[in-house]
Amino acid sequence: ILANLVSDVPTVLFCLGSIDASSQVVLGEVLGHLRIWIEKLVFDSDHYHSYSSILSLVRSHGGALKSEAERENFWVHDLNWGRISKFREVVTEKFDAELFSNPSENILEIDFSYSGSDSKISSRAFMQLCWIVERLGWVVGSRSESSRLYCKSASGAVRIVRIRRDCEMDPLSKFEFECAADKVCFSEYEGVEGIEYLVESKGLSKAVMHKKHLLGTATLVSEAVYSNIRNKHMDKILRFAPKIEGVLQAE
């Protein structure tokens, strides 16, 4: 492998299968041998066991990198980031003026519900929750309990995310944002033509529906390989996602 690598060409390590204890060891050895060549670690959380495994692997690899430049050039990317692109677009578009103008303070609490016949949350819904917390600029605290995630706003005020599984609800995922003057509800449905989004609020004149087919894995992989812009959001999510996992596991 080393003989065929070209130093001027970015090298990407794909980990598109599940990550368990044995594969984590193998990946660590591969990253160690290819340390100065690999610029991106791309994984698909549709197939992983936990973000904790990824974070442990990245921290171990980061500790082996010799210089700040090497650490800055090493990226980590989850394909599920691309799968929630429409979700991010719709939320930002509809809530920018009302909630996200001062997000850390305007939103007081969040009720997050997800559907499913078993206790495991879908990887897409999990990424949505992580992005919402990161987008609001909240800091995930060390304190947590079953079904509740405690965060802090920019001013240090306590913010709570309530998490629950609802086997009988129609939406795949549902966020209710509690503000001082209003409550805004954002739901994601699986429709006949693709994913549908419904926004409900007193402040909105009418509900808005968007439809979008999910991007295929091949498209997501291509975007991950050819993107030259480091995803700073993923950097942050990677650090606090294991804390959210802990809350979900205790639910």
Side-chain angles (χ1 to χ4, degrees), residues 12 14 40 42 75-86 88-89 212-231:
V12 179
F14 289 97
K40 295 180 186 178
V42 177
W75 300 10
V76 179
H77 184 79
D78 182 358
L79 295 186
N80 260 320
W81 177 261
R83 290 192 182 100
I84 69 163
S85 60
K86 190 63 179 181
R88 292 185 279 111
E89 177 186 326
K212 179 73 174 182
H213 288 284
L214 288 176
L215 296 176
T217 300
T219 301
L220 295 172
V221 168
S222 178
E223 289 180 351
V225 171
Y226 293 107
S227 174
N228 293 319
I229 302 175
R230 180 171 188 149
N231 190 338

PDB file of all heavy atoms in Angstrom, residues 12 14 40 42 75-86 88-89 212-231:
ATOM      1  N   VAL A  12      -7.916   8.984   1.634  1.00  0.00           N
ATOM      2  CA  VAL A  12      -9.095   8.869   2.498  1.00  0.00           C
ATOM      3  C   VAL A  12      -9.232   7.424   2.960  1.00  0.00           C
ATOM      4  O   VAL A  12      -9.139   6.494   2.155  1.00  0.00           O
ATOM      5  CB  VAL A  12     -10.366   9.296   1.748  1.00  0.00           C
ATOM      6  CG1 VAL A  12     -11.593   9.158   2.649  1.00  0.00           C
ATOM      7  CG2 VAL A  12     -10.246  10.723   1.240  1.00  0.00           C
ATOM      8  N   PHE A  14     -11.829   4.816   4.352  1.00  0.00           N
ATOM      9  CA  PHE A  14     -13.261   4.588   4.506  1.00  0.00           C
ATOM     10  C   PHE A  14     -13.494   3.477   5.515  1.00  0.00           C
ATOM     11  O   PHE A  14     -12.870   2.427   5.447  1.00  0.00           O
ATOM     12  CB  PHE A  14     -13.898   4.199   3.170  1.00  0.00           C
ATOM     13  CG  PHE A  14     -13.991   5.319   2.190  1.00  0.00           C
ATOM     14  CD1 PHE A  14     -13.039   5.473   1.199  1.00  0.00           C
ATOM     15  CD2 PHE A  14     -15.032   6.237   2.264  1.00  0.00           C
ATOM     16  CE1 PHE A  14     -13.113   6.513   0.289  1.00  0.00           C
ATOM     17  CE2 PHE A  14     -15.107   7.280   1.361  1.00  0.00           C
ATOM     18  CZ  PHE A  14     -14.153   7.418   0.370  1.00  0.00           C
ATOM     19  N   LYS A  40      -8.355  12.100   5.713  1.00  0.00           N
ATOM     20  CA  LYS A  40      -9.751  11.998   6.131  1.00  0.00           C
ATOM     21  C   LYS A  40     -10.080  10.575   6.571  1.00  0.00           C
ATOM     22  O   LYS A  40      -9.649   9.608   5.933  1.00  0.00           O
ATOM     23  CB  LYS A  40     -10.700  12.375   4.982  1.00  0.00           C
ATOM     24  CG  LYS A  40     -10.620  13.816   4.524  1.00  0.00           C
ATOM     25  CD  LYS A  40     -11.601  14.046   3.377  1.00  0.00           C
ATOM     26  CE  LYS A  40     -11.461  15.438   2.776  1.00  0.00           C
ATOM     27  NZ  LYS A  40     -12.380  15.637   1.629  1.00  0.00           N
ATOM     28  N   VAL A  42     -13.472   8.632   6.904  1.00  0.00           N
ATOM     29  CA  VAL A  42     -14.890   8.713   6.573  1.00  0.00           C
ATOM     30  C   VAL A  42     -15.586   7.458   7.077  1.00  0.00           C
ATOM     31  O   VAL A  42     -15.164   6.343   6.772  1.00  0.00           O
ATOM     32  CB  VAL A  42     -15.103   8.854   5.050  1.00  0.00           C
ATOM     33  CG1 VAL A  42     -16.591   8.869   4.709  1.00  0.00           C
ATOM     34  CG2 VAL A  42     -14.428  10.128   4.545  1.00  0.00           C
ATOM     35  N   TRP A  75      -9.091  15.040   9.004  1.00  0.00           N
ATOM     36  CA  TRP A  75     -10.521  15.274   9.102  1.00  0.00           C
ATOM     37  C   TRP A  75     -11.249  13.993   9.467  1.00  0.00           C
ATOM     38  O   TRP A  75     -10.798  12.896   9.146  1.00  0.00           O
ATOM     39  CB  TRP A  75     -11.099  15.738   7.769  1.00  0.00           C
ATOM     40  CG  TRP A  75     -10.549  16.994   7.191  1.00  0.00           C
ATOM     41  CD1 TRP A  75      -9.453  17.696   7.613  1.00  0.00           C
ATOM     42  CD2 TRP A  75     -11.050  17.695   6.059  1.00  0.00           C
ATOM     43  NE1 TRP A  75      -9.250  18.789   6.818  1.00  0.00           N
ATOM     44  CE2 TRP A  75     -10.216  18.814   5.844  1.00  0.00           C
ATOM     45  CE3 TRP A  75     -12.121  17.483   5.209  1.00  0.00           C
ATOM     46  CZ2 TRP A  75     -10.425  19.713   4.820  1.00  0.00           C
ATOM     47  CZ3 TRP A  75     -12.337  18.386   4.179  1.00  0.00           C
ATOM     48  CH2 TRP A  75     -11.500  19.489   3.987  1.00  0.00           C
ATOM     49  N   VAL A  76     -12.396  14.150  10.098  1.00  0.00           N
ATOM     50  CA  VAL A  76     -13.305  13.028  10.354  1.00  0.00           C
ATOM     51  C   VAL A  76     -14.674  13.419   9.811  1.00  0.00           C
ATOM     52  O   VAL A  76     -15.152  14.528  10.056  1.00  0.00           O
ATOM     53  CB  VAL A  76     -13.405  12.714  11.861  1.00  0.00           C
ATOM     54  CG1 VAL A  76     -14.364  11.558  12.097  1.00  0.00           C
ATOM     55  CG2 VAL A  76     -12.031  12.378  12.429  1.00  0.00           C
ATOM     56  N   HIS A  77     -15.284  12.510   9.060  1.00  0.00           N
ATOM     57  CA  HIS A  77     -16.570  12.840   8.439  1.00  0.00           C
ATOM     58  C   HIS A  77     -17.525  11.662   8.533  1.00  0.00           C
ATOM     59  O   HIS A  77     -17.155  10.517   8.249  1.00  0.00           O
ATOM     60  CB  HIS A  77     -16.370  13.209   6.966  1.00  0.00           C
ATOM     61  CG  HIS A  77     -17.623  13.659   6.280  1.00  0.00           C
ATOM     62  ND1 HIS A  77     -18.135  14.934   6.438  1.00  0.00           N
ATOM     63  CD2 HIS A  77     -18.490  13.004   5.460  1.00  0.00           C
ATOM     64  CE1 HIS A  77     -19.246  15.045   5.734  1.00  0.00           C
ATOM     65  NE2 HIS A  77     -19.483  13.888   5.146  1.00  0.00           N
ATOM     66  N   ASP A  78     -18.767  11.947   8.942  1.00  0.00           N
ATOM     67  CA  ASP A  78     -19.833  10.950   9.020  1.00  0.00           C
ATOM     68  C   ASP A  78     -20.772  11.162   7.833  1.00  0.00           C
ATOM     69  O   ASP A  78     -21.260  12.270   7.611  1.00  0.00           O
ATOM     70  CB  ASP A  78     -20.585  11.113  10.347  1.00  0.00           C
ATOM     71  CG  ASP A  78     -21.683  10.081  10.543  1.00  0.00           C
ATOM     72  OD1 ASP A  78     -21.900   9.251   9.640  1.00  0.00           O
ATOM     73  OD2 ASP A  78     -22.329  10.108  11.610  1.00  0.00           O
ATOM     74  N   LEU A  79     -21.052  10.109   7.081  1.00  0.00           N
ATOM     75  CA  LEU A  79     -21.929  10.237   5.915  1.00  0.00           C
ATOM     76  C   LEU A  79     -23.338  10.679   6.299  1.00  0.00           C
ATOM     77  O   LEU A  79     -24.065  11.242   5.478  1.00  0.00           O
ATOM     78  CB  LEU A  79     -22.006   8.909   5.143  1.00  0.00           C
ATOM     79  CG  LEU A  79     -20.708   8.419   4.486  1.00  0.00           C
ATOM     80  CD1 LEU A  79     -20.987   7.182   3.635  1.00  0.00           C
ATOM     81  CD2 LEU A  79     -20.054   9.505   3.644  1.00  0.00           C
ATOM     82  N   ASN A  80     -23.733  10.451   7.531  1.00  0.00           N
ATOM     83  CA  ASN A  80     -25.066  10.880   7.957  1.00  0.00           C
ATOM     84  C   ASN A  80     -25.197  12.399   8.005  1.00  0.00           C
ATOM     85  O   ASN A  80     -26.315  12.922   8.024  1.00  0.00           O
ATOM     86  CB  ASN A  80     -25.421  10.286   9.320  1.00  0.00           C
ATOM     87  CG  ASN A  80     -26.329   9.078   9.185  1.00  0.00           C
ATOM     88  OD1 ASN A  80     -27.239   9.058   8.354  1.00  0.00           O
ATOM     89  ND2 ASN A  80     -26.088   8.061   9.972  1.00  0.00           N
ATOM     90  N   TRP A  81     -24.083  13.108   8.027  1.00  0.00           N
ATOM     91  CA  TRP A  81     -24.130  14.566   7.947  1.00  0.00           C
ATOM     92  C   TRP A  81     -24.801  14.977   6.636  1.00  0.00           C
ATOM     93  O   TRP A  81     -25.608  15.908   6.592  1.00  0.00           O
ATOM     94  CB  TRP A  81     -22.722  15.145   8.035  1.00  0.00           C
ATOM     95  CG  TRP A  81     -22.680  16.632   7.885  1.00  0.00           C
ATOM     96  CD1 TRP A  81     -22.371  17.338   6.756  1.00  0.00           C
ATOM     97  CD2 TRP A  81     -22.974  17.611   8.894  1.00  0.00           C
ATOM     98  NE1 TRP A  81     -22.450  18.686   6.999  1.00  0.00           N
ATOM     99  CE2 TRP A  81     -22.815  18.890   8.296  1.00  0.00           C
ATOM    100  CE3 TRP A  81     -23.349  17.529  10.233  1.00  0.00           C
ATOM    101  CZ2 TRP A  81     -23.016  20.070   9.002  1.00  0.00           C
ATOM    102  CZ3 TRP A  81     -23.554  18.714  10.935  1.00  0.00           C
ATOM    103  CH2 TRP A  81     -23.388  19.965  10.323  1.00  0.00           C
ATOM    104  N   GLY A  82     -24.470  14.276   5.556  1.00  0.00           N
ATOM    105  CA  GLY A  82     -25.085  14.568   4.267  1.00  0.00           C
ATOM    106  C   GLY A  82     -26.540  14.149   4.208  1.00  0.00           C
ATOM    107  O   GLY A  82     -27.351  14.784   3.538  1.00  0.00           O
ATOM    108  N   ARG A  83     -26.890  13.087   4.922  1.00  0.00           N
ATOM    109  CA  ARG A  83     -28.277  12.606   4.901  1.00  0.00           C
ATOM    110  C   ARG A  83     -29.235  13.593   5.563  1.00  0.00           C
ATOM    111  O   ARG A  83     -30.430  13.576   5.277  1.00  0.00           O
ATOM    112  CB  ARG A  83     -28.370  11.243   5.584  1.00  0.00           C
ATOM    113  CG  ARG A  83     -27.711  10.116   4.806  1.00  0.00           C
ATOM    114  CD  ARG A  83     -28.071   8.757   5.357  1.00  0.00           C
ATOM    115  NE  ARG A  83     -27.375   7.708   4.617  1.00  0.00           N
ATOM    116  CZ  ARG A  83     -26.270   7.103   5.033  1.00  0.00           C
ATOM    117  NH1 ARG A  83     -25.762   7.425   6.215  1.00  0.00           N
ATOM    118  NH2 ARG A  83     -25.695   6.176   4.298  1.00  0.00           N
ATOM    119  N   ILE A  84     -28.735  14.426   6.468  1.00  0.00           N
ATOM    120  CA  ILE A  84     -29.618  15.403   7.115  1.00  0.00           C
ATOM    121  C   ILE A  84     -29.448  16.798   6.509  1.00  0.00           C
ATOM    122  O   ILE A  84     -29.823  17.794   7.125  1.00  0.00           O
ATOM    123  CB  ILE A  84     -29.403  15.446   8.647  1.00  0.00           C
ATOM    124  CG1 ILE A  84     -28.032  16.058   8.996  1.00  0.00           C
ATOM    125  CG2 ILE A  84     -29.573  14.090   9.278  1.00  0.00           C
ATOM    126  CD1 ILE A  84     -27.919  16.507  10.442  1.00  0.00           C
ATOM    127  N   SER A  85     -28.904  16.871   5.295  1.00  0.00           N
ATOM    128  CA  SER A  85     -28.668  18.179   4.670  1.00  0.00           C
ATOM    129  C   SER A  85     -29.971  18.951   4.473  1.00  0.00           C
ATOM    130  O   SER A  85     -30.034  20.153   4.713  1.00  0.00           O
ATOM    131  CB  SER A  85     -27.925  18.021   3.344  1.00  0.00           C
ATOM    132  OG  SER A  85     -28.684  17.225   2.443  1.00  0.00           O
ATOM    133  N   LYS A  86     -31.026  18.266   4.026  1.00  0.00           N
ATOM    134  CA  LYS A  86     -32.307  18.946   3.825  1.00  0.00           C
ATOM    135  C   LYS A  86     -32.902  19.363   5.165  1.00  0.00           C
ATOM    136  O   LYS A  86     -33.495  20.446   5.283  1.00  0.00           O
ATOM    137  CB  LYS A  86     -33.273  18.032   3.071  1.00  0.00           C
ATOM    138  CG  LYS A  86     -34.537  18.745   2.613  1.00  0.00           C
ATOM    139  CD  LYS A  86     -34.217  19.867   1.621  1.00  0.00           C
ATOM    140  CE  LYS A  86     -35.471  20.564   1.141  1.00  0.00           C
ATOM    141  NZ  LYS A  86     -35.157  21.625   0.165  1.00  0.00           N
ATOM    142  N   ARG A  88     -31.244  20.229   7.827  1.00  0.00           N
ATOM    143  CA  ARG A  88     -30.517  21.426   8.256  1.00  0.00           C
ATOM    144  C   ARG A  88     -30.966  22.648   7.463  1.00  0.00           C
ATOM    145  O   ARG A  88     -31.110  23.744   8.012  1.00  0.00           O
ATOM    146  CB  ARG A  88     -29.005  21.210   8.099  1.00  0.00           C
ATOM    147  CG  ARG A  88     -28.440  20.183   9.054  1.00  0.00           C
ATOM    148  CD  ARG A  88     -26.925  20.060   8.968  1.00  0.00           C
ATOM    149  NE  ARG A  88     -26.491  19.228   7.861  1.00  0.00           N
ATOM    150  CZ  ARG A  88     -25.858  19.646   6.790  1.00  0.00           C
ATOM    151  NH1 ARG A  88     -25.576  20.947   6.660  1.00  0.00           N
ATOM    152  NH2 ARG A  88     -25.502  18.816   5.833  1.00  0.00           N
ATOM    153  N   GLU A  89     -31.194  22.452   6.172  1.00  0.00           N
ATOM    154  CA  GLU A  89     -31.605  23.561   5.310  1.00  0.00           C
ATOM    155  C   GLU A  89     -32.973  24.100   5.718  1.00  0.00           C
ATOM    156  O   GLU A  89     -33.174  25.314   5.830  1.00  0.00           O
ATOM    157  CB  GLU A  89     -31.644  23.069   3.863  1.00  0.00           C
ATOM    158  CG  GLU A  89     -32.116  24.096   2.855  1.00  0.00           C
ATOM    159  CD  GLU A  89     -32.259  23.507   1.469  1.00  0.00           C
ATOM    160  OE1 GLU A  89     -31.450  22.615   1.114  1.00  0.00           O
ATOM    161  OE2 GLU A  89     -33.189  23.911   0.752  1.00  0.00           O
ATOM    162  N   LYS A 212     -38.114  15.639  -0.144  1.00  0.00           N
ATOM    163  CA  LYS A 212     -36.752  15.435  -0.623  1.00  0.00           C
ATOM    164  C   LYS A 212     -36.388  13.958  -0.520  1.00  0.00           C
ATOM    165  O   LYS A 212     -36.558  13.342   0.521  1.00  0.00           O
ATOM    166  CB  LYS A 212     -35.759  16.251   0.213  1.00  0.00           C
ATOM    167  CG  LYS A 212     -34.301  16.110  -0.184  1.00  0.00           C
ATOM    168  CD  LYS A 212     -33.998  16.820  -1.477  1.00  0.00           C
ATOM    169  CE  LYS A 212     -32.515  16.795  -1.787  1.00  0.00           C
ATOM    170  NZ  LYS A 212     -32.196  17.524  -3.018  1.00  0.00           N
ATOM    171  N   HIS A 213     -35.885  13.395  -1.607  1.00  0.00           N
ATOM    172  CA  HIS A 213     -35.372  12.037  -1.550  1.00  0.00           C
ATOM    173  C   HIS A 213     -34.037  12.061  -0.810  1.00  0.00           C
ATOM    174  O   HIS A 213     -33.256  13.009  -0.933  1.00  0.00           O
ATOM    175  CB  HIS A 213     -35.166  11.472  -2.959  1.00  0.00           C
ATOM    176  CG  HIS A 213     -36.448  11.163  -3.665  1.00  0.00           C
ATOM    177  ND1 HIS A 213     -37.196  10.052  -3.367  1.00  0.00           N
ATOM    178  CD2 HIS A 213     -37.114  11.825  -4.633  1.00  0.00           C
ATOM    179  CE1 HIS A 213     -38.276  10.028  -4.146  1.00  0.00           C
ATOM    180  NE2 HIS A 213     -38.251  11.101  -4.920  1.00  0.00           N
ATOM    181  N   LEU A 214     -33.760  11.008  -0.063  1.00  0.00           N
ATOM    182  CA  LEU A 214     -32.477  10.926   0.627  1.00  0.00           C
ATOM    183  C   LEU A 214     -31.366  10.707  -0.388  1.00  0.00           C
ATOM    184  O   LEU A 214     -31.540  10.001  -1.381  1.00  0.00           O
ATOM    185  CB  LEU A 214     -32.484   9.765   1.627  1.00  0.00           C
ATOM    186  CG  LEU A 214     -33.333   9.953   2.879  1.00  0.00           C
ATOM    187  CD1 LEU A 214     -33.307   8.682   3.711  1.00  0.00           C
ATOM    188  CD2 LEU A 214     -32.824  11.124   3.709  1.00  0.00           C
ATOM    189  N   LEU A 215     -30.228  11.325  -0.160  1.00  0.00           N
ATOM    190  CA  LEU A 215     -29.083  11.134  -1.037  1.00  0.00           C
ATOM    191  C   LEU A 215     -28.559   9.709  -0.889  1.00  0.00           C
ATOM    192  O   LEU A 215     -28.520   9.156   0.204  1.00  0.00           O
ATOM    193  CB  LEU A 215     -27.980  12.135  -0.676  1.00  0.00           C
ATOM    194  CG  LEU A 215     -28.308  13.613  -0.882  1.00  0.00           C
ATOM    195  CD1 LEU A 215     -27.157  14.482  -0.383  1.00  0.00           C
ATOM    196  CD2 LEU A 215     -28.592  13.915  -2.346  1.00  0.00           C
ATOM    197  N   GLY A 216     -28.129   9.124  -2.009  1.00  0.00           N
ATOM    198  CA  GLY A 216     -27.585   7.775  -1.982  1.00  0.00           C
ATOM    199  C   GLY A 216     -26.189   7.756  -1.386  1.00  0.00           C
ATOM    200  O   GLY A 216     -25.490   8.781  -1.344  1.00  0.00           O
ATOM    201  N   THR A 217     -25.761   6.576  -0.940  1.00  0.00           N
ATOM    202  CA  THR A 217     -24.440   6.440  -0.313  1.00  0.00           C
ATOM    203  C   THR A 217     -23.326   6.838  -1.268  1.00  0.00           C
ATOM    204  O   THR A 217     -22.356   7.488  -0.863  1.00  0.00           O
ATOM    205  CB  THR A 217     -24.231   4.992   0.168  1.00  0.00           C
ATOM    206  OG1 THR A 217     -25.241   4.651   1.122  1.00  0.00           O
ATOM    207  CG2 THR A 217     -22.860   4.831   0.823  1.00  0.00           C
ATOM    208  N   ALA A 218     -23.442   6.472  -2.550  1.00  0.00           N
ATOM    209  CA  ALA A 218     -22.399   6.810  -3.525  1.00  0.00           C
ATOM    210  C   ALA A 218     -22.213   8.320  -3.634  1.00  0.00           C
ATOM    211  O   ALA A 218     -21.084   8.820  -3.706  1.00  0.00           O
ATOM    212  CB  ALA A 218     -22.753   6.223  -4.894  1.00  0.00           C
ATOM    213  N   THR A 219     -23.322   9.062  -3.639  1.00  0.00           N
ATOM    214  CA  THR A 219     -23.264  10.529  -3.705  1.00  0.00           C
ATOM    215  C   THR A 219     -22.621  11.096  -2.449  1.00  0.00           C
ATOM    216  O   THR A 219     -21.789  12.011  -2.521  1.00  0.00           O
ATOM    217  CB  THR A 219     -24.675  11.121  -3.864  1.00  0.00           C
ATOM    218  OG1 THR A 219     -25.271  10.603  -5.053  1.00  0.00           O
ATOM    219  CG2 THR A 219     -24.624  12.641  -3.955  1.00  0.00           C
ATOM    220  N   LEU A 220     -22.985  10.557  -1.291  1.00  0.00           N
ATOM    221  CA  LEU A 220     -22.432  11.041  -0.025  1.00  0.00           C
ATOM    222  C   LEU A 220     -20.927  10.781   0.054  1.00  0.00           C
ATOM    223  O   LEU A 220     -20.166  11.619   0.535  1.00  0.00           O
ATOM    224  CB  LEU A 220     -23.142  10.356   1.145  1.00  0.00           C
ATOM    225  CG  LEU A 220     -24.636  10.662   1.302  1.00  0.00           C
ATOM    226  CD1 LEU A 220     -25.247   9.778   2.368  1.00  0.00           C
ATOM    227  CD2 LEU A 220     -24.853  12.132   1.639  1.00  0.00           C
ATOM    228  N   VAL A 221     -20.506   9.613  -0.423  1.00  0.00           N
ATOM    229  CA  VAL A 221     -19.082   9.278  -0.420  1.00  0.00           C
ATOM    230  C   VAL A 221     -18.322  10.229  -1.334  1.00  0.00           C
ATOM    231  O   VAL A 221     -17.248  10.736  -0.986  1.00  0.00           O
ATOM    232  CB  VAL A 221     -18.858   7.813  -0.861  1.00  0.00           C
ATOM    233  CG1 VAL A 221     -17.369   7.556  -1.135  1.00  0.00           C
ATOM    234  CG2 VAL A 221     -19.361   6.855   0.195  1.00  0.00           C
ATOM    235  N   SER A 222     -18.879  10.503  -2.517  1.00  0.00           N
ATOM    236  CA  SER A 222     -18.236  11.414  -3.466  1.00  0.00           C
ATOM    237  C   SER A 222     -18.070  12.797  -2.860  1.00  0.00           C
ATOM    238  O   SER A 222     -17.007  13.429  -2.991  1.00  0.00           O
ATOM    239  CB  SER A 222     -19.065  11.494  -4.745  1.00  0.00           C
ATOM    240  OG  SER A 222     -18.499  12.402  -5.656  1.00  0.00           O
ATOM    241  N   GLU A 223     -19.110  13.287  -2.172  1.00  0.00           N
ATOM    242  CA  GLU A 223     -19.036  14.606  -1.535  1.00  0.00           C
ATOM    243  C   GLU A 223     -17.968  14.621  -0.450  1.00  0.00           C
ATOM    244  O   GLU A 223     -17.230  15.606  -0.300  1.00  0.00           O
ATOM    245  CB  GLU A 223     -20.391  14.976  -0.943  1.00  0.00           C
ATOM    246  CG  GLU A 223     -21.459  15.289  -1.983  1.00  0.00           C
ATOM    247  CD  GLU A 223     -22.795  15.644  -1.361  1.00  0.00           C
ATOM    248  OE1 GLU A 223     -22.937  15.482  -0.127  1.00  0.00           O
ATOM    249  OE2 GLU A 223     -23.692  16.094  -2.098  1.00  0.00           O
ATOM    250  N   ALA A 224     -17.878  13.538   0.309  1.00  0.00           N
ATOM    251  CA  ALA A 224     -16.888  13.470   1.383  1.00  0.00           C
ATOM    252  C   ALA A 224     -15.465  13.470   0.839  1.00  0.00           C
ATOM    253  O   ALA A 224     -14.565  14.103   1.404  1.00  0.00           O
ATOM    254  CB  ALA A 224     -17.126  12.218   2.229  1.00  0.00           C
ATOM    255  N   VAL A 225     -15.256  12.791  -0.275  1.00  0.00           N
ATOM    256  CA  VAL A 225     -13.913  12.680  -0.854  1.00  0.00           C
ATOM    257  C   VAL A 225     -13.453  13.996  -1.465  1.00  0.00           C
ATOM    258  O   VAL A 225     -12.312  14.437  -1.265  1.00  0.00           O
ATOM    259  CB  VAL A 225     -13.882  11.566  -1.925  1.00  0.00           C
ATOM    260  CG1 VAL A 225     -12.556  11.600  -2.695  1.00  0.00           C
ATOM    261  CG2 VAL A 225     -14.080  10.207  -1.276  1.00  0.00           C
ATOM    262  N   TYR A 226     -14.346  14.657  -2.204  1.00  0.00           N
ATOM    263  CA  TYR A 226     -13.930  15.813  -3.000  1.00  0.00           C
ATOM    264  C   TYR A 226     -14.112  17.157  -2.296  1.00  0.00           C
ATOM    265  O   TYR A 226     -13.709  18.185  -2.827  1.00  0.00           O
ATOM    266  CB  TYR A 226     -14.664  15.817  -4.340  1.00  0.00           C
ATOM    267  CG  TYR A 226     -14.255  14.668  -5.227  1.00  0.00           C
ATOM    268  CD1 TYR A 226     -15.107  13.585  -5.449  1.00  0.00           C
ATOM    269  CD2 TYR A 226     -12.988  14.636  -5.820  1.00  0.00           C
ATOM    270  CE1 TYR A 226     -14.721  12.524  -6.245  1.00  0.00           C
ATOM    271  CE2 TYR A 226     -12.594  13.579  -6.615  1.00  0.00           C
ATOM    272  CZ  TYR A 226     -13.462  12.522  -6.824  1.00  0.00           C
ATOM    273  OH  TYR A 226     -13.065  11.463  -7.599  1.00  0.00           O
ATOM    274  N   SER A 227     -14.710  17.139  -1.120  1.00  0.00           N
ATOM    275  CA  SER A 227     -14.850  18.398  -0.397  1.00  0.00           C
ATOM    276  C   SER A 227     -13.491  18.884   0.119  1.00  0.00           C
ATOM    277  O   SER A 227     -12.724  18.123   0.693  1.00  0.00           O
ATOM    278  CB  SER A 227     -15.805  18.213   0.797  1.00  0.00           C
ATOM    279  OG  SER A 227     -15.831  19.382   1.586  1.00  0.00           O
ATOM    280  N   ASN A 228     -13.213  20.160  -0.122  1.00  0.00           N
ATOM    281  CA  ASN A 228     -11.958  20.753   0.357  1.00  0.00           C
ATOM    282  C   ASN A 228     -12.161  21.622   1.592  1.00  0.00           C
ATOM    283  O   ASN A 228     -11.234  22.282   2.056  1.00  0.00           O
ATOM    284  CB  ASN A 228     -11.336  21.610  -0.759  1.00  0.00           C
ATOM    285  CG  ASN A 228     -10.879  20.765  -1.931  1.00  0.00           C
ATOM    286  OD1 ASN A 228     -10.324  19.686  -1.751  1.00  0.00           O
ATOM    287  ND2 ASN A 228     -11.131  21.238  -3.141  1.00  0.00           N
ATOM    288  N   ILE A 229     -13.394  21.648   2.097  1.00  0.00           N
ATOM    289  CA  ILE A 229     -13.709  22.480   3.255  1.00  0.00           C
ATOM    290  C   ILE A 229     -13.891  21.599   4.481  1.00  0.00           C
ATOM    291  O   ILE A 229     -14.752  20.715   4.493  1.00  0.00           O
ATOM    292  CB  ILE A 229     -14.992  23.299   3.011  1.00  0.00           C
ATOM    293  CG1 ILE A 229     -14.828  24.165   1.762  1.00  0.00           C
ATOM    294  CG2 ILE A 229     -15.318  24.155   4.226  1.00  0.00           C
ATOM    295  CD1 ILE A 229     -16.082  24.921   1.373  1.00  0.00           C
ATOM    296  N   ARG A 230     -13.102  21.834   5.482  1.00  0.00           N
ATOM    297  CA  ARG A 230     -13.204  21.038   6.707  1.00  0.00           C
ATOM    298  C   ARG A 230     -14.526  21.327   7.403  1.00  0.00           C
ATOM    299  O   ARG A 230     -14.933  22.478   7.549  1.00  0.00           O
ATOM    300  CB  ARG A 230     -12.042  21.364   7.636  1.00  0.00           C
ATOM    301  CG  ARG A 230     -12.090  20.553   8.934  1.00  0.00           C
ATOM    302  CD  ARG A 230     -10.839  20.706   9.741  1.00  0.00           C
ATOM    303  NE  ARG A 230     -10.831  19.801  10.870  1.00  0.00           N
ATOM    304  CZ  ARG A 230      -9.745  19.282  11.391  1.00  0.00           C
ATOM    305  NH1 ARG A 230      -8.561  19.567  10.864  1.00  0.00           N
ATOM    306  NH2 ARG A 230      -9.804  18.469  12.430  1.00  0.00           N
ATOM    307  N   ASN A 231     -15.197  20.277   7.842  1.00  0.00           N
ATOM    308  CA  ASN A 231     -16.481  20.411   8.517  1.00  0.00           C
ATOM    309  C   ASN A 231     -16.248  20.645  10.013  1.00  0.00           C
ATOM    310  O   ASN A 231     -16.091  19.706  10.796  1.00  0.00           O
ATOM    311  CB  ASN A 231     -17.323  19.145   8.300  1.00  0.00           C
ATOM    312  CG  ASN A 231     -18.747  19.312   8.779  1.00  0.00           C
ATOM    313  OD1 ASN A 231     -19.051  20.161   9.604  1.00  0.00           O
ATOM    314  ND2 ASN A 231     -19.641  18.473   8.267  1.00  0.00           N
TER     315      ASN A 231
END
